[in-house]
Amino acid sequence: MNPDNTPPASGHSENSDVGDLAAERVRIFDTTLRDGEQAPGFSMDRRAKLRMAHALEALGVDIIEAGFPSASPDDFASVSEIARVLRGPTVCGLARCHDNDIDACGRALEVARHGRIHLFLSTSPLHREHKLNMSKQQVIDTACAAIERAKKLCHEVEFSAEDAMRTEPEYLVEVFSAAIAAGATTVNVPDTVGYTTPLEMAERITYLRKHVRGADQVVFSTHCHDDLGMAVANSLAGVAAGARQVECTINGIGERAGNASMEEVVMALRVRGAFFGVDTGIDARKLYPTSRLLTQLTGQAVARNKAVVGENAFAHESGIHQHGMLKHRGTYEIMRPQDVGMGETRLVLGKHSGRHALRQRLQSLGHEVDEAAMDNIFARFKALADKKRDVHDQDLEAIALGMDPEATGPWRIVQLNTNSHLGGSASASVKLTHDSGHEVGEAAIGDGPVDAVLRAIERATGTALDVTQFQVRAVSEGGDAQGQAQLTARHAERDWRGSGVSTDIIEATAHAALAIVNRIERQQPVTPRAAVAAL
Ligand code: KIV
Ligand code: ZN
């Protein structure tokens, strides 16, 4: 166990959760890789999670909830890997109040520089009766025993009273008072079902801070779901009432309607700094690039009108607004696109642009690339600029994020031909190479060119792909925009996802299919959902 992670000898008074940050600082606890990732359509494989974790570290989040170690061996490995490589943020793992969960979490975090075990147990009457079948006292005893066990493995222990906002307030006081006495360093007040309102949240946090014994020794936290569209407002109300940790996700992804969106919480606290009187440690200029990274890794775009990071968030179309903006930007703009790292111009480079301009543009989009990666990116940029007149920010991001399976192998496309007729069948032929040195060519017919290409790839690689989802969307603007194809396929009882980008959407689909085949060959499955659902 790393010494930084060792419990101090003298208990609560050395609670670094409370002592090391000013009272005006709100800790940002990111759960994109746990609550976000467990939502249907947002699962990520281990490599994607690691990439996201690095981006969250660069963004400046205080705590990263990296996963649920006992949910599956893959979740365990992700949490452990993230704990090993991140040096700045606290890395947190989720555990039920079960010995096996707690021990698995402790093992996964053994290598962390700063680790935290996050325990949860339901406290509301509905959950006590129908889910847990436990009395009020049994819930308290179970939580305390779990906290004491976790405390032996990790100094920082967070306790979440699941469904707290539908729990009797007086009982919640007893639960949290006992949890603090048992060693909890952060107490979290989740609105698990997205039921509460801002006023109620503010009242609840105020009440708890006043009545919970030991309240001044811990950090109060919010964790709001967006079922009624109030997750961000409820989190902010919690902060106004004294909560000093907000649990949130990039793009607001999460169970059902999602969690509070980090970019909205952070920018509200910043833009309305004078009102809230608090700040976060987030580098806001990395919000947009991090949001984009998540959409690329999951294939799930945000709505155009999404606050802070949507494509329209800073676009002023109406004549009246444009007129006002030209006279004084402040008339209709409360923050600038560059404040959140969004490029001010969307049209960027062309085929005559040089390496220096490309590097600068990538930097302004939040991508620091080393020399070796730059060679590859520059070559791909030139190839793209030859095909398409204007290269947009989104095109560059697609290149920088390396969504192309070319980068990963072992299979690569050498040739691809398709033929289709209106109202008739289609045919495709592919030639592929494998890192082992062999080359294989196959042809197939199908209902359309996409179907034909997928069949040809299945034949060539010998890997059966049962496609369950297929999406194509434009990466940027205009008729010559690159298309991103996103495929999910079932293979060996697991879901596998791949994406590909090209100016030709059939080619993009072939890259996406090959990304899946490559992933299967490298045996990097996405976390089996069944394992999480069974919890
Ligand atoms: O929504 C919730 O209650 C949770 C807990 C595990 C904190 O996600
Ligand atoms: Zn949640």
Side-chain angles (χ1 to χ4, degrees):
M1 165 89 57
N2 186 301
D4 285 6
N5 213 8
T6 315
S10 57
H12 301 315
S13 60
E14 291 190 45
N15 178 1
S16 63
D17 275 7
V18 179
D20 62 352
L21 291 173
E24 295 72 28
R25 169 79 178 272
V26 172
R27 293 143 186 85
I28 295 296
F29 176 115
D30 178 89
T31 183
T32 305
L33 297 176
R34 199 279 298 170
D35 214 329
E37 198 268 345
Q38 78 189 41
F42 290 93
S43 56
M44 285 173 252
D45 65 26
R46 219 183 302 163
R47 269 177 3 143
K49 286 187 192 170
L50 198 60
R51 202 155 176 183
M52 200 62 211
H54 280 299
L56 292 168
E57 179 174 42
L59 182 61
V61 308
D62 299 287
I63 303 111
I64 294 178
E65 187 161 54
F68 197 165
S70 65
S72 71
D74 206 48
D75 253 34
F76 181 95
S78 298
V79 175
S80 169
E81 174 76 351
I82 291 169
R84 192 176 60 76
V85 297
L86 295 198
R87 301 286 85 187
T90 295
V91 178
C92 174
L94 184 71
R96 292 170 298 186
C97 291
H98 295 178
D99 289 356
N100 289 346
D101 276 32
I102 298 166
D103 296 349
C105 204
R107 279 198 309 279
L109 295 172
E110 247 166 21
V111 285
R113 176 137 190 251
H114 309 288
R116 176 184 294 188
I117 296 181
H118 178 189
L119 295 166
F120 70 103
L121 186 63
S122 294
T123 52
S124 67
L126 256 172
H127 284 221
R128 286 193 316 259
E129 191 186 335
H130 298 290
K131 179 177 151 184
L132 300 177
N133 195 19
M134 280 187 191
S135 69
K136 284 182 171 177
Q137 192 55 47
Q138 280 174 319
V139 168
I140 292 181
D141 292 344
T142 307
C144 289
I147 293 166
E148 280 161 15
R149 189 178 185 100
K151 199 73 186 168
K152 293 195 182 114
L153 304 172
C154 191
H155 169 48
E156 282 191 32
V157 175
E158 171 170 336
F159 176 71
S160 282
E162 194 184 358
D163 206 16
M165 293 310 294
R166 293 192 299 169
T167 300
E168 307 89 325
E170 313 73 36
Y171 174 57
L172 207 50
V173 166
E174 294 313 313
V175 172
F176 283 148
S177 300
I180 294 168
T185 48
T186 296
V187 289
N188 185 32
V189 187
D191 183 23
T192 303
V193 291
Y195 172 79
T196 201
T197 65
L199 207 58
E200 191 174 46
M201 176 60 92
E203 278 173 11
R204 190 64 48 90
I205 297 287
T206 305
Y207 177 83
L208 291 171
R209 288 183 63 221
K210 184 163 170 209
H211 295 286
V212 167
R213 296 181 290 288
D216 57 340
Q217 297 165 27
V218 296
V219 172
F220 279 82
S221 166
T222 63
H223 175 109
C224 298
H225 280 272
D226 208 31
D227 300 64
L228 293 173
M230 290 188 280
V232 170
N234 290 335
S235 308
L236 295 172
V239 169
R244 286 297 174 265
Q245 174 177 289
V246 172
E247 301 195 358
C248 48
T249 58
I250 298 292
N251 297 341
I253 69 170
E255 282 281 351
R256 306 180 309 280
N259 288 63
S261 124
M262 187 203 294
E263 54 280 4
E264 294 175 27
V265 170
V266 166
M267 290 315 286
L269 292 178
R270 183 150 308 177
V271 172
R272 301 305 309 273
F275 178 81
F276 286 103
V278 295
D279 203 357
T280 68
I282 297 294
D283 176 355
R285 285 161 307 149
K286 297 210 164 74
L287 284 171
Y288 179 68
T290 313
S291 158
R292 293 284 310 174
L293 174 64
L294 183 64
T295 64
Q296 303 293 359
L297 293 175
T298 59
Q300 306 287 353
V302 298
R304 280 191 84 95
N305 65 334
K306 162 87 175 66
V308 182
V309 293
E311 289 304 300
N312 285 3
F314 297 95
H316 296 270
E317 290 291 334
S318 117
I320 296 174
H321 286 202
Q322 285 179 354
H323 182 69
M325 287 279 290
L326 289 174
K327 295 216 152 150
H328 189 292
R329 291 190 79 88
T331 49
Y332 287 100
E333 196 172 68
I334 57 166
M335 53 191 161
R336 298 166 309 160
Q338 60 268 39
D339 295 341
V340 299
M342 205 184 260
E344 243 188 328
T345 61
R346 289 185 187 167
L347 198 65
V348 276
L349 305 172
K351 69 188 214 180
H352 301 297
S353 306
R355 198 180 161 98
H356 184 66
L358 176 64
R359 181 186 286 285
Q360 275 200 330
R361 192 72 208 134
L362 285 167
Q363 273 170 349
S364 76
L365 291 169
H367 300 279
E368 293 294 341
V369 278
D370 60 27
E371 276 308 309
M374 193 62 201
D375 287 344
N376 189 5
I377 291 175
F378 189 60
R380 293 192 58 201
F381 160 70
K382 282 287 178 191
L384 181 64
D386 270 343
K387 284 193 202 164
K388 142 186 225 291
R389 198 168 55 91
D390 302 322
V391 180
H392 298 257
D393 285 355
Q394 292 91 335
D395 294 317
L396 293 182
E397 278 174 335
I399 295 174
L401 291 171
M403 291 183 300
D404 190 339
E406 295 286 331
T408 53
W411 289 101
R412 287 160 226 279
I413 299 177
V414 183
Q415 247 177 45
L416 168 66
N417 294 303
T418 55
N419 227 313
S420 62
H421 315 276
L422 191 63
S425 64
S427 62
S429 65
V430 293
K431 193 188 278 181
L432 308 177
T433 56
H434 191 274
D435 283 352
S436 62
H438 67 275
E439 187 173 282
V440 48
E442 273 295 347
I445 52 169
D447 292 341
V450 166
D451 190 36
V453 163
L454 292 176
R455 284 170 192 233
I457 287 178
E458 280 184 317
R459 277 192 190 167
T461 61
T463 304
L465 297 174
D466 174 13
V467 174
T468 52
Q469 272 181 40
F470 173 50
Q471 278 176 20
V472 179
R473 66 181 188 92
V475 166
S476 57
E477 295 151 24
D480 64 352
Q482 291 195 97
Q484 180 188 4
Q486 186 78 39
L487 277 179
T488 307
R490 199 84 192 138
H491 177 91
E493 292 176 24
R494 284 177 174 159
D495 288 327
W496 304 80
R497 206 170 40 232
S499 65
V501 174
S502 169
T503 46
D504 174 338
I505 58 170
I506 305 296
E507 194 180 310
T509 308
H511 283 307
L514 218 53
I516 294 180
V517 173
N518 284 337
R519 210 156 268 155
I520 291 172
E521 263 201 51
R522 294 195 312 267
Q523 281 297 309
Q524 288 192 339
V526 295
T527 307
R529 292 270 55 91
V532 176
L535 293 167

